Amino acid sequence: MYDYDLLVVGSANADLVIGVERRPAAGETVLGSDLAVHPGGKGANQAVAAARLGARTALLARVGDDAHGRLLLDSQRAAGVDTVGVLVGGAPTGVALITVDPSGDNSIVVSPGANGKLTPGDVRAAASLFHASRVVSAQLEIPLETVVEVVRSLAPGSRFVLNPSPPRPLPDEVLAACDPLIVNEHEARVIAGGSLDGSPEDWARALLALGPRSVVITLGAEGALVASSDTTTRIPAVKVEAVDTTGAGDAFTAALAWRLGLGEPAPEAATYAARVGAAAVTRQGAQESFPTAEEVAAP
Ligand code: ADP
């Protein structure tokens, strides 16, 4: 009865990456490597991750009428994402200007561009996508008022998943819709209002008290934790040689959202998502690193 397993509402950015010997100080100019341009943004990443696993996926996002926008549309289509919901124009495509030094430390400037122009009106105009989608996933690289409209637009019976990144305090209306709220430690701390004591189990309890139906805390190489009002389950990480953790959280979230929509219990869905996140860290890049279902199934 649903046309899409997953509708992702979120950002699409071009990541412009330059390697440097040393990141420049104020007023300084340094020479760097050739420019590399990669499709990115948490919304676009999640959509590609889900589609590559075989989920029927749509993206609701906004890009500029420019070469970066076309790059993003191409990468979505190549992964099999339905781009009927990708709006074009209103501002340049969002970009992240990234300098990386030999130790792997980076400095990033983000220009939200068209992402900042994805409005509540755009969400209302996409009502048919919401009615066709089993699960709707969002992040916070688009205006918060747009995320509020996403929650108000959910079709009866569909499920909402939120990764509040970059984190900021959330209105009760958004928190109450999350099933689950997916956070890493930093995001958990901001959502909880700054203080988080004790173990991840304690953090989960503190977050559940804010109203989400369930909580998933990602713990990097330590795996994840799944919590609802009655149970808390630790999900061990898959042991891998980590090469580049960029996009691991996006891949984990997309996989989890998809499997929950298929009706899997949260611990099973998170166990699968942990395999997807682990596969993503074994390869360079974000979208380029996301595995297919066959790669996840491989021993
Ligand atoms: P974020 O990028 O949002 O901070 P994490 O780094 O916690 O998210 O990664 C998300 C998930 O990806 C983790 O819960 C884990 O399952 C998997 N993962 C991340 N890093 C590793 C790693 N080094 N080894 C194995 N799995 C990992």
mmCIF file with all atom_site columns, all heavy atoms in Angstrom, residues 100-125:
data_model
loop_
_atom_site.group_PDB
_atom_site.id
_atom_site.type_symbol
_atom_site.label_atom_id
_atom_site.label_alt_id
_atom_site.label_comp_id
_atom_site.label_asym_id
_atom_site.label_entity_id
_atom_site.label_seq_id
_atom_site.pdbx_PDB_ins_code
_atom_site.Cartn_x
_atom_site.Cartn_y
_atom_site.Cartn_z
_atom_site.occupancy
_atom_site.B_iso_or_equiv
_atom_site.pdbx_formal_charge
_atom_site.auth_seq_id
_atom_site.auth_comp_id
_atom_site.auth_asym_id
_atom_site.auth_atom_id
_atom_site.pdbx_PDB_model_num
ATOM 1   N N   . VAL A 1 100 ? 41.270 19.834 4.955  1.00 0.00 ? 100 VAL A N   1
ATOM 2   C CA  . VAL A 1 100 ? 41.715 18.691 5.771  1.00 0.00 ? 100 VAL A CA  1
ATOM 3   C C   . VAL A 1 100 ? 43.235 18.693 5.825  1.00 0.00 ? 100 VAL A C   1
ATOM 4   O O   . VAL A 1 100 ? 43.889 18.779 4.783  1.00 0.00 ? 100 VAL A O   1
ATOM 5   C CB  . VAL A 1 100 ? 41.290 17.349 5.136  1.00 0.00 ? 100 VAL A CB  1
ATOM 6   C CG1 . VAL A 1 100 ? 41.445 16.217 6.140  1.00 0.00 ? 100 VAL A CG1 1
ATOM 7   C CG2 . VAL A 1 100 ? 39.887 17.400 4.603  1.00 0.00 ? 100 VAL A CG2 1
ATOM 8   N N   . ASP A 1 101 ? 43.798 18.570 7.031  1.00 0.00 ? 101 ASP A N   1
ATOM 9   C CA  . ASP A 1 101 ? 45.266 18.517 7.124  1.00 0.00 ? 101 ASP A CA  1
ATOM 10  C C   . ASP A 1 101 ? 45.743 17.068 7.203  1.00 0.00 ? 101 ASP A C   1
ATOM 11  O O   . ASP A 1 101 ? 44.917 16.148 7.298  1.00 0.00 ? 101 ASP A O   1
ATOM 12  C CB  . ASP A 1 101 ? 45.765 19.413 8.264  1.00 0.00 ? 101 ASP A CB  1
ATOM 13  C CG  . ASP A 1 101 ? 45.431 18.857 9.637  1.00 0.00 ? 101 ASP A CG  1
ATOM 14  O OD1 . ASP A 1 101 ? 45.173 17.644 9.762  1.00 0.00 ? 101 ASP A OD1 1
ATOM 15  O OD2 . ASP A 1 101 ? 45.444 19.644 10.603 1.00 0.00 ? 101 ASP A OD2 1
ATOM 16  N N   . PRO A 1 102 ? 47.056 16.828 7.136  1.00 0.00 ? 102 PRO A N   1
ATOM 17  C CA  . PRO A 1 102 ? 47.539 15.436 7.065  1.00 0.00 ? 102 PRO A CA  1
ATOM 18  C C   . PRO A 1 102 ? 47.130 14.593 8.270  1.00 0.00 ? 102 PRO A C   1
ATOM 19  O O   . PRO A 1 102 ? 47.031 13.372 8.166  1.00 0.00 ? 102 PRO A O   1
ATOM 20  C CB  . PRO A 1 102 ? 49.064 15.597 6.989  1.00 0.00 ? 102 PRO A CB  1
ATOM 21  C CG  . PRO A 1 102 ? 49.268 16.954 6.396  1.00 0.00 ? 102 PRO A CG  1
ATOM 22  C CD  . PRO A 1 102 ? 48.153 17.800 6.938  1.00 0.00 ? 102 PRO A CD  1
ATOM 23  N N   . SER A 1 103 ? 46.869 15.219 9.425  1.00 0.00 ? 103 SER A N   1
ATOM 24  C CA  . SER A 1 103 ? 46.453 14.424 10.582 1.00 0.00 ? 103 SER A CA  1
ATOM 25  C C   . SER A 1 103 ? 44.976 14.063 10.515 1.00 0.00 ? 103 SER A C   1
ATOM 26  O O   . SER A 1 103 ? 44.475 13.313 11.364 1.00 0.00 ? 103 SER A O   1
ATOM 27  C CB  . SER A 1 103 ? 46.726 15.207 11.870 1.00 0.00 ? 103 SER A CB  1
ATOM 28  O OG  . SER A 1 103 ? 45.818 16.282 11.965 1.00 0.00 ? 103 SER A OG  1
ATOM 29  N N   . GLY A 1 104 ? 44.268 14.598 9.496  1.00 0.00 ? 104 GLY A N   1
ATOM 30  C CA  . GLY A 1 104 ? 42.847 14.282 9.374  1.00 0.00 ? 104 GLY A CA  1
ATOM 31  C C   . GLY A 1 104 ? 41.955 15.315 10.036 1.00 0.00 ? 104 GLY A C   1
ATOM 32  O O   . GLY A 1 104 ? 40.727 15.262 9.895  1.00 0.00 ? 104 GLY A O   1
ATOM 33  N N   . ASP A 1 105 ? 42.554 16.276 10.766 1.00 0.00 ? 105 ASP A N   1
ATOM 34  C CA  . ASP A 1 105 ? 41.740 17.349 11.353 1.00 0.00 ? 105 ASP A CA  1
ATOM 35  C C   . ASP A 1 105 ? 41.226 18.243 10.241 1.00 0.00 ? 105 ASP A C   1
ATOM 36  O O   . ASP A 1 105 ? 41.943 18.506 9.271  1.00 0.00 ? 105 ASP A O   1
ATOM 37  C CB  . ASP A 1 105 ? 42.579 18.187 12.327 1.00 0.00 ? 105 ASP A CB  1
ATOM 38  C CG  . ASP A 1 105 ? 42.772 17.474 13.655 1.00 0.00 ? 105 ASP A CG  1
ATOM 39  O OD1 . ASP A 1 105 ? 41.942 16.599 13.974 1.00 0.00 ? 105 ASP A OD1 1
ATOM 40  O OD2 . ASP A 1 105 ? 43.768 17.773 14.340 1.00 0.00 ? 105 ASP A OD2 1
ATOM 41  N N   . ASN A 1 106 ? 39.993 18.723 10.398 1.00 0.00 ? 106 ASN A N   1
ATOM 42  C CA  . ASN A 1 106 ? 39.455 19.564 9.332  1.00 0.00 ? 106 ASN A CA  1
ATOM 43  C C   . ASN A 1 106 ? 38.845 20.847 9.882  1.00 0.00 ? 106 ASN A C   1
ATOM 44  O O   . ASN A 1 106 ? 38.618 20.986 11.082 1.00 0.00 ? 106 ASN A O   1
ATOM 45  C CB  . ASN A 1 106 ? 38.443 18.781 8.479  1.00 0.00 ? 106 ASN A CB  1
ATOM 46  C CG  . ASN A 1 106 ? 37.314 18.208 9.306  1.00 0.00 ? 106 ASN A CG  1
ATOM 47  O OD1 . ASN A 1 106 ? 36.945 18.765 10.326 1.00 0.00 ? 106 ASN A OD1 1
ATOM 48  N ND2 . ASN A 1 106 ? 36.778 17.088 8.866  1.00 0.00 ? 106 ASN A ND2 1
ATOM 49  N N   . SER A 1 107 ? 38.650 21.813 8.980  1.00 0.00 ? 107 SER A N   1
ATOM 50  C CA  . SER A 1 107 ? 37.884 23.027 9.278  1.00 0.00 ? 107 SER A CA  1
ATOM 51  C C   . SER A 1 107 ? 36.806 23.102 8.210  1.00 0.00 ? 107 SER A C   1
ATOM 52  O O   . SER A 1 107 ? 37.091 22.876 7.032  1.00 0.00 ? 107 SER A O   1
ATOM 53  C CB  . SER A 1 107 ? 38.760 24.278 9.188  1.00 0.00 ? 107 SER A CB  1
ATOM 54  O OG  . SER A 1 107 ? 39.786 24.217 10.145 1.00 0.00 ? 107 SER A OG  1
ATOM 55  N N   . ILE A 1 108 ? 35.582 23.409 8.618  1.00 0.00 ? 108 ILE A N   1
ATOM 56  C CA  . ILE A 1 108 ? 34.457 23.356 7.685  1.00 0.00 ? 108 ILE A CA  1
ATOM 57  C C   . ILE A 1 108 ? 33.635 24.635 7.795  1.00 0.00 ? 108 ILE A C   1
ATOM 58  O O   . ILE A 1 108 ? 33.303 25.074 8.903  1.00 0.00 ? 108 ILE A O   1
ATOM 59  C CB  . ILE A 1 108 ? 33.546 22.138 7.985  1.00 0.00 ? 108 ILE A CB  1
ATOM 60  C CG1 . ILE A 1 108 ? 34.369 20.845 7.988  1.00 0.00 ? 108 ILE A CG1 1
ATOM 61  C CG2 . ILE A 1 108 ? 32.401 22.058 6.981  1.00 0.00 ? 108 ILE A CG2 1
ATOM 62  C CD1 . ILE A 1 108 ? 33.571 19.588 8.275  1.00 0.00 ? 108 ILE A CD1 1
ATOM 63  N N   . VAL A 1 109 ? 33.328 25.226 6.652  1.00 0.00 ? 109 VAL A N   1
ATOM 64  C CA  . VAL A 1 109 ? 32.363 26.331 6.586  1.00 0.00 ? 109 VAL A CA  1
ATOM 65  C C   . VAL A 1 109 ? 31.182 25.838 5.775  1.00 0.00 ? 109 VAL A C   1
ATOM 66  O O   . VAL A 1 109 ? 31.358 25.354 4.649  1.00 0.00 ? 109 VAL A O   1
ATOM 67  C CB  . VAL A 1 109 ? 32.968 27.572 5.891  1.00 0.00 ? 109 VAL A CB  1
ATOM 68  C CG1 . VAL A 1 109 ? 31.929 28.689 5.814  1.00 0.00 ? 109 VAL A CG1 1
ATOM 69  C CG2 . VAL A 1 109 ? 34.220 28.045 6.611  1.00 0.00 ? 109 VAL A CG2 1
ATOM 70  N N   . VAL A 1 110 ? 29.972 25.938 6.322  1.00 0.00 ? 110 VAL A N   1
ATOM 71  C CA  . VAL A 1 110 ? 28.782 25.499 5.592  1.00 0.00 ? 110 VAL A CA  1
ATOM 72  C C   . VAL A 1 110 ? 27.980 26.716 5.157  1.00 0.00 ? 110 VAL A C   1
ATOM 73  O O   . VAL A 1 110 ? 27.706 27.612 5.964  1.00 0.00 ? 110 VAL A O   1
ATOM 74  C CB  . VAL A 1 110 ? 27.910 24.569 6.469  1.00 0.00 ? 110 VAL A CB  1
ATOM 75  C CG1 . VAL A 1 110 ? 26.576 24.281 5.780  1.00 0.00 ? 110 VAL A CG1 1
ATOM 76  C CG2 . VAL A 1 110 ? 28.637 23.263 6.745  1.00 0.00 ? 110 VAL A CG2 1
ATOM 77  N N   . SER A 1 111 ? 27.622 26.754 3.888  1.00 0.00 ? 111 SER A N   1
ATOM 78  C CA  . SER A 1 111 ? 26.649 27.718 3.386  1.00 0.00 ? 111 SER A CA  1
ATOM 79  C C   . SER A 1 111 ? 25.368 26.938 3.099  1.00 0.00 ? 111 SER A C   1
ATOM 80  O O   . SER A 1 111 ? 25.318 26.168 2.138  1.00 0.00 ? 111 SER A O   1
ATOM 81  C CB  . SER A 1 111 ? 27.168 28.366 2.097  1.00 0.00 ? 111 SER A CB  1
ATOM 82  O OG  . SER A 1 111 ? 26.112 29.072 1.470  1.00 0.00 ? 111 SER A OG  1
ATOM 83  N N   . PRO A 1 112 ? 24.326 27.099 3.923  1.00 0.00 ? 112 PRO A N   1
ATOM 84  C CA  . PRO A 1 112 ? 23.118 26.277 3.736  1.00 0.00 ? 112 PRO A CA  1
ATOM 85  C C   . PRO A 1 112 ? 22.455 26.506 2.386  1.00 0.00 ? 112 PRO A C   1
ATOM 86  O O   . PRO A 1 112 ? 21.853 25.590 1.830  1.00 0.00 ? 112 PRO A O   1
ATOM 87  C CB  . PRO A 1 112 ? 22.202 26.701 4.884  1.00 0.00 ? 112 PRO A CB  1
ATOM 88  C CG  . PRO A 1 112 ? 23.111 27.328 5.891  1.00 0.00 ? 112 PRO A CG  1
ATOM 89  C CD  . PRO A 1 112 ? 24.235 27.957 5.111  1.00 0.00 ? 112 PRO A CD  1
ATOM 90  N N   . GLY A 1 113 ? 22.549 27.709 1.847  1.00 0.00 ? 113 GLY A N   1
ATOM 91  C CA  . GLY A 1 113 ? 21.991 27.964 0.519  1.00 0.00 ? 113 GLY A CA  1
ATOM 92  C C   . GLY A 1 113 ? 20.557 27.488 0.407  1.00 0.00 ? 113 GLY A C   1
ATOM 93  O O   . GLY A 1 113 ? 19.708 27.810 1.250  1.00 0.00 ? 113 GLY A O   1
ATOM 94  N N   . ALA A 1 114 ? 20.291 26.687 -0.620 1.00 0.00 ? 114 ALA A N   1
ATOM 95  C CA  . ALA A 1 114 ? 18.921 26.246 -0.895 1.00 0.00 ? 114 ALA A CA  1
ATOM 96  C C   . ALA A 1 114 ? 18.318 25.430 0.246  1.00 0.00 ? 114 ALA A C   1
ATOM 97  O O   . ALA A 1 114 ? 17.086 25.409 0.413  1.00 0.00 ? 114 ALA A O   1
ATOM 98  C CB  . ALA A 1 114 ? 18.904 25.434 -2.189 1.00 0.00 ? 114 ALA A CB  1
ATOM 99  N N   . ASN A 1 115 ? 19.150 24.777 1.057  1.00 0.00 ? 115 ASN A N   1
ATOM 100 C CA  . ASN A 1 115 ? 18.599 24.014 2.191  1.00 0.00 ? 115 ASN A CA  1
ATOM 101 C C   . ASN A 1 115 ? 17.804 24.919 3.124  1.00 0.00 ? 115 ASN A C   1
ATOM 102 O O   . ASN A 1 115 ? 16.810 24.499 3.717  1.00 0.00 ? 115 ASN A O   1
ATOM 103 C CB  . ASN A 1 115 ? 19.722 23.351 2.996  1.00 0.00 ? 115 ASN A CB  1
ATOM 104 C CG  . ASN A 1 115 ? 20.482 22.335 2.190  1.00 0.00 ? 115 ASN A CG  1
ATOM 105 O OD1 . ASN A 1 115 ? 19.881 21.425 1.620  1.00 0.00 ? 115 ASN A OD1 1
ATOM 106 N ND2 . ASN A 1 115 ? 21.795 22.507 2.092  1.00 0.00 ? 115 ASN A ND2 1
ATOM 107 N N   . GLY A 1 116 ? 18.282 26.146 3.268  1.00 0.00 ? 116 GLY A N   1
ATOM 108 C CA  . GLY A 1 116 ? 17.594 27.099 4.141  1.00 0.00 ? 116 GLY A CA  1
ATOM 109 C C   . GLY A 1 116 ? 16.296 27.613 3.550  1.00 0.00 ? 116 GLY A C   1
ATOM 110 O O   . GLY A 1 116 ? 15.511 28.269 4.232  1.00 0.00 ? 116 GLY A O   1
ATOM 111 N N   . LYS A 1 117 ? 16.081 27.295 2.271  1.00 0.00 ? 117 LYS A N   1
ATOM 112 C CA  . LYS A 1 117 ? 14.858 27.749 1.587  1.00 0.00 ? 117 LYS A CA  1
ATOM 113 C C   . LYS A 1 117 ? 13.850 26.612 1.421  1.00 0.00 ? 117 LYS A C   1
ATOM 114 O O   . LYS A 1 117 ? 12.891 26.743 0.658  1.00 0.00 ? 117 LYS A O   1
ATOM 115 C CB  . LYS A 1 117 ? 15.230 28.331 0.216  1.00 0.00 ? 117 LYS A CB  1
ATOM 116 C CG  . LYS A 1 117 ? 16.129 29.555 0.297  1.00 0.00 ? 117 LYS A CG  1
ATOM 117 C CD  . LYS A 1 117 ? 15.274 30.798 0.317  1.00 0.00 ? 117 LYS A CD  1
ATOM 118 C CE  . LYS A 1 117 ? 15.931 32.049 0.833  1.00 0.00 ? 117 LYS A CE  1
ATOM 119 N NZ  . LYS A 1 117 ? 17.244 32.377 0.423  1.00 0.00 ? 117 LYS A NZ  1
ATOM 120 N N   . LEU A 1 118 ? 14.110 25.475 2.077  1.00 0.00 ? 118 LEU A N   1
ATOM 121 C CA  . LEU A 1 118 ? 13.106 24.393 2.064  1.00 0.00 ? 118 LEU A CA  1
ATOM 122 C C   . LEU A 1 118 ? 12.087 24.746 3.150  1.00 0.00 ? 118 LEU A C   1
ATOM 123 O O   . LEU A 1 118 ? 12.393 24.696 4.345  1.00 0.00 ? 118 LEU A O   1
ATOM 124 C CB  . LEU A 1 118 ? 13.761 23.039 2.347  1.00 0.00 ? 118 LEU A CB  1
ATOM 125 C CG  . LEU A 1 118 ? 12.835 21.834 2.194  1.00 0.00 ? 118 LEU A CG  1
ATOM 126 C CD1 . LEU A 1 118 ? 12.480 21.590 0.725  1.00 0.00 ? 118 LEU A CD1 1
ATOM 127 C CD2 . LEU A 1 118 ? 13.462 20.569 2.779  1.00 0.00 ? 118 LEU A CD2 1
ATOM 128 N N   . THR A 1 119 ? 10.906 25.150 2.733  1.00 0.00 ? 119 THR A N   1
ATOM 129 C CA  . THR A 1 119 ? 9.948  25.792 3.652  1.00 0.00 ? 119 THR A CA  1
ATOM 130 C C   . THR A 1 119 ? 8.841  24.837 4.095  1.00 0.00 ? 119 THR A C   1
ATOM 131 O O   . THR A 1 119 ? 8.603  23.795 3.470  1.00 0.00 ? 119 THR A O   1
ATOM 132 C CB  . THR A 1 119 ? 9.265  26.979 2.946  1.00 0.00 ? 119 THR A CB  1
ATOM 133 O OG1 . THR A 1 119 ? 8.517  26.451 1.829  1.00 0.00 ? 119 THR A OG1 1
ATOM 134 C CG2 . THR A 1 119 ? 10.283 28.001 2.460  1.00 0.00 ? 119 THR A CG2 1
ATOM 135 N N   . PRO A 1 120 ? 8.105  25.223 5.142  1.00 0.00 ? 120 PRO A N   1
ATOM 136 C CA  . PRO A 1 120 ? 6.898  24.467 5.506  1.00 0.00 ? 120 PRO A CA  1
ATOM 137 C C   . PRO A 1 120 ? 5.928  24.361 4.329  1.00 0.00 ? 120 PRO A C   1
ATOM 138 O O   . PRO A 1 120 ? 5.280  23.329 4.150  1.00 0.00 ? 120 PRO A O   1
ATOM 139 C CB  . PRO A 1 120 ? 6.305  25.289 6.659  1.00 0.00 ? 120 PRO A CB  1
ATOM 140 C CG  . PRO A 1 120 ? 7.497  25.960 7.278  1.00 0.00 ? 120 PRO A CG  1
ATOM 141 C CD  . PRO A 1 120 ? 8.406  26.292 6.120  1.00 0.00 ? 120 PRO A CD  1
ATOM 142 N N   . GLY A 1 121 ? 5.859  25.403 3.494  1.00 0.00 ? 121 GLY A N   1
ATOM 143 C CA  . GLY A 1 121 ? 4.987  25.342 2.313  1.00 0.00 ? 121 GLY A CA  1
ATOM 144 C C   . GLY A 1 121 ? 5.421  24.246 1.350  1.00 0.00 ? 121 GLY A C   1
ATOM 145 O O   . GLY A 1 121 ? 4.584  23.556 0.749  1.00 0.00 ? 121 GLY A O   1
ATOM 146 N N   . ASP A 1 122 ? 6.738  24.049 1.217  1.00 0.00 ? 122 ASP A N   1
ATOM 147 C CA  . ASP A 1 122 ? 7.244  22.962 0.362  1.00 0.00 ? 122 ASP A CA  1
ATOM 148 C C   . ASP A 1 122 ? 6.803  21.607 0.914  1.00 0.00 ? 122 ASP A C   1
ATOM 149 O O   . ASP A 1 122 ? 6.497  20.679 0.158  1.00 0.00 ? 122 ASP A O   1
ATOM 150 C CB  . ASP A 1 122 ? 8.783  22.992 0.298  1.00 0.00 ? 122 ASP A CB  1
ATOM 151 C CG  . ASP A 1 122 ? 9.315  24.220 -0.433 1.00 0.00 ? 122 ASP A CG  1
ATOM 152 O OD1 . ASP A 1 122 ? 8.603  24.779 -1.287 1.00 0.00 ? 122 ASP A OD1 1
ATOM 153 O OD2 . ASP A 1 122 ? 10.460 24.626 -0.121 1.00 0.00 ? 122 ASP A OD2 1
ATOM 154 N N   . VAL A 1 123 ? 6.801  21.489 2.233  1.00 0.00 ? 123 VAL A N   1
ATOM 155 C CA  . VAL A 1 123 ? 6.372  20.232 2.860  1.00 0.00 ? 123 VAL A CA  1
ATOM 156 C C   . VAL A 1 123 ? 4.878  20.009 2.600  1.00 0.00 ? 123 VAL A C   1
ATOM 157 O O   . VAL A 1 123 ? 4.461  18.913 2.196  1.00 0.00 ? 123 VAL A O   1
ATOM 158 C CB  . VAL A 1 123 ? 6.672  20.266 4.378  1.00 0.00 ? 123 VAL A CB  1
ATOM 159 C CG1 . VAL A 1 123 ? 6.019  19.085 5.092  1.00 0.00 ? 123 VAL A CG1 1
ATOM 160 C CG2 . VAL A 1 123 ? 8.186  20.263 4.602  1.00 0.00 ? 123 VAL A CG2 1
ATOM 161 N N   . ARG A 1 124 ? 4.082  21.069 2.772  1.00 0.00 ? 124 ARG A N   1
ATOM 162 C CA  . ARG A 1 124 ? 2.635  20.911 2.537  1.00 0.00 ? 124 ARG A CA  1
ATOM 163 C C   . ARG A 1 124 ? 2.365  20.536 1.079  1.00 0.00 ? 124 ARG A C   1
ATOM 164 O O   . ARG A 1 124 ? 1.485  19.720 0.797  1.00 0.00 ? 124 ARG A O   1
ATOM 165 C CB  . ARG A 1 124 ? 1.891  22.203 2.902  1.00 0.00 ? 124 ARG A CB  1
ATOM 166 C CG  . ARG A 1 124 ? 1.777  22.417 4.412  1.00 0.00 ? 124 ARG A CG  1
ATOM 167 C CD  . ARG A 1 124 ? 0.824  23.549 4.750  1.00 0.00 ? 124 ARG A CD  1
ATOM 168 N NE  . ARG A 1 124 ? 1.355  24.851 4.373  1.00 0.00 ? 124 ARG A NE  1
ATOM 169 C CZ  . ARG A 1 124 ? 2.171  25.593 5.135  1.00 0.00 ? 124 ARG A CZ  1
ATOM 170 N NH1 . ARG A 1 124 ? 2.535  25.154 6.335  1.00 0.00 ? 124 ARG A NH1 1
ATOM 171 N NH2 . ARG A 1 124 ? 2.604  26.759 4.712  1.00 0.00 ? 124 ARG A NH2 1
ATOM 172 N N   . ALA A 1 125 ? 3.142  21.101 0.174  1.00 0.00 ? 125 ALA A N   1
ATOM 173 C CA  . ALA A 1 125 ? 2.931  20.819 -1.257 1.00 0.00 ? 125 ALA A CA  1
ATOM 174 C C   . ALA A 1 125 ? 3.321  19.384 -1.616 1.00 0.00 ? 125 ALA A C   1
ATOM 175 O O   . ALA A 1 125 ? 2.955  18.891 -2.678 1.00 0.00 ? 125 ALA A O   1
ATOM 176 C CB  . ALA A 1 125 ? 3.737  21.804 -2.097 1.00 0.00 ? 125 ALA A CB  1
#
